[in-house]
Amino acid sequence: MPVLTVSPISAGEHLAFVRAQESASFLQTPAWGQVKTEWRSESLGWFDGGQLVGAGLVLHRPVPRLERFTLAYLPEGPVIDWTGDIGAWLDPLAAYLKARGAFAIRLGPPVRTDSWSSAQVKQGIADPGITRLTDLPSQEFNEVGARVTSQLTAAGWLPQSPEHGFGTGHPQFTYELPLVGRTEDDLLAGMNQLWRRNIRKAAKAGVEVSVGDDLKAFHDLYVHTAERDRFTPRPLRYFETMFAALDAEDPGRIRLHLARHEGTLVAAAIMARVGTRAWYAYGASSSEKREVRGSNACQWAMIRDALAAGSDVYSLRGITPTLDTTDPHVGLVQFKVGTGGEAVRYVGEWDLPLRPMLYRAFDLYMRRRGR
């Protein structure tokens, strides 16, 4: 393996590199740094001689009362070759970031380890003896994922993905719908009976889904959803910034789908797309008119949109690994599994302490404030 070097690159160089890849997470585009206004961001490149061979968006989070030290975070990244000796990539990254005041690095390799079919997940939910996805045999063994996990462990990286829940950052378990070589009819046939019935019910009731830019309407519904489902909503300004940044970087990268019934907004969802991959990023639904199935109509419109755009995968994003019917999180799993698709486990997020005393203090601070 040649000796790689890490140095800053411009947003233009970073974007050109991302565009040359089959795909990369939308969280690893230069525009995402503009969205995360509470973090300082920079684009870094890996060079083999003079050639750019890898890139990463780094978000820097200052330590309270010690602002010159930061946690350097690469969400769902970096965009490098994860198939070989990852030390050749991560060692120069650690040296660069430590020299510039990072007390730790957190990253989330975009590498799968396991997957489970929708049929397996359904069987697991029906079996009282099975409470977690990992109780089921995986339908794949990903050698790269296993090797990345063992190399990170051996190099002193600390896993941050907990046994339950979504963890400190982005989820380790996701639900994904493969689109390659499939038609709309194929995708409908792969859904469960309830999903197909709800899509038909929405159409029959006259639900209309359009792509629009009324972020205020979306946000009002999103705040309503947050109150009902007991999570803390992001402000409208966050979404306005997200749309402005991602759309300026690549028109069509982010789209807002709005489902209306007789003029009333009943569901809305945001989809992001980079290369051959599309993601369901945020959603909202009304507590009224639930019988018209606006959420199913919205998802179906986004799946068709992703398919028409040539995406290989439509990701419904995070799930918890629970299959326990007494766990309130299992409802989200059941909703997503109805699309067909598969549950996927990734390597998860990992921390490398660069200044152990500061890292321990930061970890304690985050635990006290509930992350």
Side-chain angles (χ1 to χ4, degrees):
M1 181 82 189
V3 176
L4 302 175
T5 58
V6 169
S7 59
I9 56 175
S10 70
E13 289 173 305
H14 188 174
L15 182 58
F17 183 82
V18 167
R19 283 179 170 156
Q21 310 309 304
E22 186 176 313
S23 187
S25 172
F26 66 97
L27 307 176
Q28 278 296 303
T29 61
W32 193 249
Q34 300 170 43
V35 179
K36 308 304 285 185
T37 54
E38 71 276 25
W39 301 63
R40 178 173 62 82
S41 66
E42 67 174 329
S43 293
L44 294 182
W46 279 257
F47 290 87
D48 178 1
Q51 185 179 1
L52 182 65
V53 292
L57 177 73
V58 184
L59 302 174
H60 292 275
R61 181 174 185 163
V63 179
R65 297 186 295 277
L66 289 170
E67 273 67 27
R68 70 189 185 92
F69 294 107
T70 64
L71 169 69
Y73 182 33
L74 293 89
E76 297 185 5
V79 185
I80 59 174
D81 180 4
W82 290 96
T83 62
D85 172 19
I86 62 171
W89 298 87
L90 300 185
D91 292 350
L93 174 69
Y96 172 88
L97 290 171
K98 184 174 183 180
R100 283 151 185 82
F103 69 87
I105 306 170
R106 175 169 296 161
L107 49 75
V111 180
R112 294 160 61 120
T113 60
D114 302 279
S115 66
W116 298 269
S117 69
S118 59
Q120 282 182 289
V121 179
K122 282 184 244 180
Q123 288 165 6
I125 293 171
D127 185 341
I130 292 174
T131 59
R132 292 173 58 80
L133 272 171
T134 48
D135 294 338
L136 297 167
S138 173
Q139 67 176 1
E140 73 167 300
F141 172 71
N142 190 300
E143 287 186 17
V144 174
R147 192 161 59 247
V148 167
T149 300
S150 65
Q151 288 186 57
L152 287 171
T153 303
W157 291 77
L158 307 174
Q160 298 302 301
S161 301
E163 284 293 296
H164 298 280
F166 289 100
T168 58
H170 292 278
Q172 182 179 20
F173 292 83
T174 67
Y175 206 84
E176 300 180 1
L177 187 59
L179 304 177
V180 177
R182 304 176 77 184
T183 64
E184 287 184 16
D185 287 344
D186 295 333
L187 291 166
L188 272 175
M191 294 180 178
N192 70 13
Q193 190 176 5
L194 181 61
W195 259 83
R196 290 196 298 271
R197 186 164 65 236
N198 285 344
I199 289 169
R200 287 196 301 269
K201 190 179 286 188
K204 190 174 181 181
V207 174
E208 296 181 347
V209 183
S210 61
V211 174
D213 58 5
D214 193 345
L215 282 171
K216 177 66 167 61
F218 162 79
H219 191 259
D220 289 346
L221 192 60
Y222 166 74
V223 169
H224 163 80
T225 305
E227 289 170 354
R228 182 189 68 220
D229 296 347
R230 296 181 183 158
F231 64 86
T232 303
R234 294 188 180 276
L236 174 60
R237 184 70 194 142
Y238 179 83
F239 294 101
E240 290 172 341
T241 303
M242 184 191 301
F243 268 78
L246 268 65
D247 198 59
E249 184 173 90
D250 194 340
R253 170 154 292 167
I254 188 164
R255 291 163 73 97
L256 174 64
H257 289 74
L258 301 158
R260 290 186 171 88
H261 179 254
E262 296 175 346
T264 302
L265 188 65
V266 291
I270 293 170
M271 183 176 84
R273 187 167 52 81
V274 181
T276 59
R277 200 171 181 89
W279 295 264
Y280 161 48
Y282 286 92
S285 62
S286 173
S287 300
E288 306 297 321
K289 296 193 171 190
R290 302 197 81 154
E291 71 282 356
V292 302
R293 304 301 178 188
S295 291
N296 296 90
C298 226
Q299 286 293 339
W300 178 229
M302 290 200 298
I303 291 166
R304 293 168 65 198
D305 193 355
L307 184 68
S311 300
D312 290 346
V313 176
Y314 175 74
S315 172
L316 289 101
R317 298 290 282 164
I319 56 172
T320 54
T322 185
L323 299 181
D324 182 353
T325 52
T326 64
D327 187 326
H329 291 110
V330 83
L332 182 64
V333 178
Q334 288 172 312
F335 176 77
K336 293 181 178 182
V337 81
T339 61
E342 59 185 8
V344 179
R345 178 166 66 175
Y346 284 82
V347 167
E349 294 195 323
W350 296 71
D351 284 5
L352 179 67
L354 301 173
R355 292 175 168 84
M357 286 184 64
L358 272 177
Y359 177 77
R360 283 195 293 272
F362 177 79
D363 192 52
L364 183 63
Y365 165 78
M366 294 302 287
R367 289 179 194 278
R368 282 179 175 163
R369 69 190 291 264
R371 294 290 184 179

